[in-house]
Amino acid sequence: MKKKLVFIVGGNGSIGTEIHKKFDKLKNYRIIILDIKKNKKLNSNIHQVYFDLSKLKNIQNNIKKVIKKFGCPDVFINTSYPITKMWKNISYNNLDYISLSKNIEIHLNSFALSANEVAKHMAKNKVKGSIIILNSIYGILGQDNNLYKNTNIKPNPIYSLIKGGLANFVKGLAAYYGKYEIRVNSIIAGGIKGNIAGSKIKQNQNFKKKYNLKTPLGRMARADEIASPVIFLASDEASYVTGANYFVDGGFSII
């Protein structure tokens, strides 16, 4: 049986690592990790390619190079988190043109460009593929300011703007490429236990306590719990699922 080829952008990050580990256990996938970070402990059957999404002018050409070397993917997953150095300091009080435009460029625009480029290659090569974008509840919901009071985390207006754009982009991409039997979906992830997104700083205990109280399951997600639905959306078991913003949030969005 021919193995399916999966590209994972950000495959060495916290969620990306759980995703590639799950694919590796299945034994019927060839795994290519596209990341700026290198993992020296990977199995020899997992290939790594240096790939910087923030270099927008090179994205399409770099994807072509990877496809030329390894083949057209059956599955393309983007779980990366490209941000600028000023990201952690951005708030509604200090939002400016430079931080807004630069972060939209390297995050929203890079996700859109890379997904569409892969979809074009899938269509050209008659690959009935699956494209999966990692997204957030704050691409659908407004941020609850009460969660951030007396914590080390601030609401970030650009984050919601980027993630909201991706939520609708998924629908448009799915609608256009459906005629080629290419499926496009996103994972709407709830809060994940660990570091503050985009930093090495641990989440504030006060924030976690308040977040847990607002979530029916009473806790934040583990990275592997976000990875499992990705495996489903990549598989033939999800052959009739496209254009979906697939909630994996412990019920946070229902109350």
Side-chain angles (χ1 to χ4, degrees):
M1 183 178 176
K2 184 182 176 183
K3 289 186 176 183
K4 288 189 174 184
L5 179 62
V6 54
F7 289 178
I8 309 172
V9 183
N12 286 329
S14 58
I15 298 175
T17 296
E18 295 301 328
I19 291 171
H20 80 239
K21 282 163 60 178
K22 287 181 182 293
F23 273 114
D24 194 33
K25 286 179 182 178
L26 294 172
K27 306 297 182 185
N28 59 334
Y29 286 91
R30 288 191 298 135
I31 303 162
I32 314 298
I33 290 175
L34 310 178
D35 207 324
I36 58 173
K37 296 185 291 185
K38 190 169 185 179
N39 186 340
K40 295 179 181 178
K41 298 179 181 179
L42 289 181
N43 297 336
S44 58
N45 59 315
I46 300 177
H47 296 278
Q48 298 183 82
V49 176
Y50 180 85
F51 195 87
D52 188 352
L53 265 186
S54 69
K55 310 297 183 186
L56 260 73
K57 292 180 180 178
N58 302 327
I59 284 177
Q60 291 165 297
N61 193 44
N62 286 341
I63 285 174
K64 287 175 186 175
K65 287 180 181 177
V66 179
I67 289 175
K68 186 176 181 180
K69 183 175 182 179
F70 296 102
C72 185
D74 298 281
V75 181
F76 177 78
I77 301 160
N78 195 339
T79 179
S80 64
Y81 200 91
I83 54 175
T84 62
K85 290 180 180 178
M86 77 262 298
W87 179 257
K88 64 181 180 180
N89 297 318
I90 295 169
S91 70
Y92 283 90
N93 292 324
N94 66 6
L95 183 63
D96 59 39
Y97 171 76
I98 294 174
S99 57
L100 179 67
S101 59
K102 189 62 181 173
N103 280 287
I104 287 174
E105 181 181 345
I106 66 172
H107 198 145
L108 176 60
N109 294 355
S110 68
F111 269 59
L113 266 177
S114 57
N116 187 64
E117 186 64 27
V118 169
K120 284 195 298 182
H121 283 277
M122 286 178 172
K124 182 181 177 182
N125 289 279
K126 298 182 179 178
V127 173
K128 298 174 183 178
S130 174
I131 294 172
I132 304 160
I133 287 174
L134 267 291
N135 207 329
S136 163
I137 48 174
Y138 288 145
I140 306 292
L141 308 174
Q143 292 169 312
D144 184 349
N145 293 315
N146 291 320
L147 293 178
Y148 302 97
K149 288 179 181 176
N150 302 316
T151 75
N152 59 345
I153 311 173
K154 295 177 288 187
N156 188 319
I158 305 177
Y159 184 77
S160 293
L161 181 57
I162 290 168
K163 296 304 185 181
L166 287 174
N168 208 47
F169 177 74
V170 160
K171 296 179 182 180
L173 204 66
Y176 183 82
Y177 285 102
K179 60 191 172 186
Y180 301 105
E181 296 189 62
I182 296 167
R183 298 183 295 107
V184 186
N185 297 287
S186 82
I187 295 288
I188 303 295
I192 301 166
K193 189 177 180 181
N195 295 341
I196 297 172
S199 81
K200 294 180 180 179
I201 302 170
K202 290 288 183 184
Q203 290 157 339
N204 181 279
Q205 288 296 325
N206 196 27
F207 172 82
K208 287 193 287 186
K209 218 177 266 187
K210 289 193 283 186
Y211 187 95
N212 293 346
L213 286 171
K214 193 174 175 178
T215 308
L217 291 185
R219 61 178 178 85
M220 302 184 88
R222 302 188 309 270
D224 67 287
E225 292 176 307
I226 306 299
S228 293
V230 172
I231 305 301
F232 165 68
L233 290 174
S235 74
D236 293 337
E237 298 299 314
S239 59
Y240 202 59
V241 181
T242 194
N245 286 306
Y246 198 93
F247 281 82
V248 187
D249 66 349
F252 185 96
S253 59
I254 64 175
I255 56 174

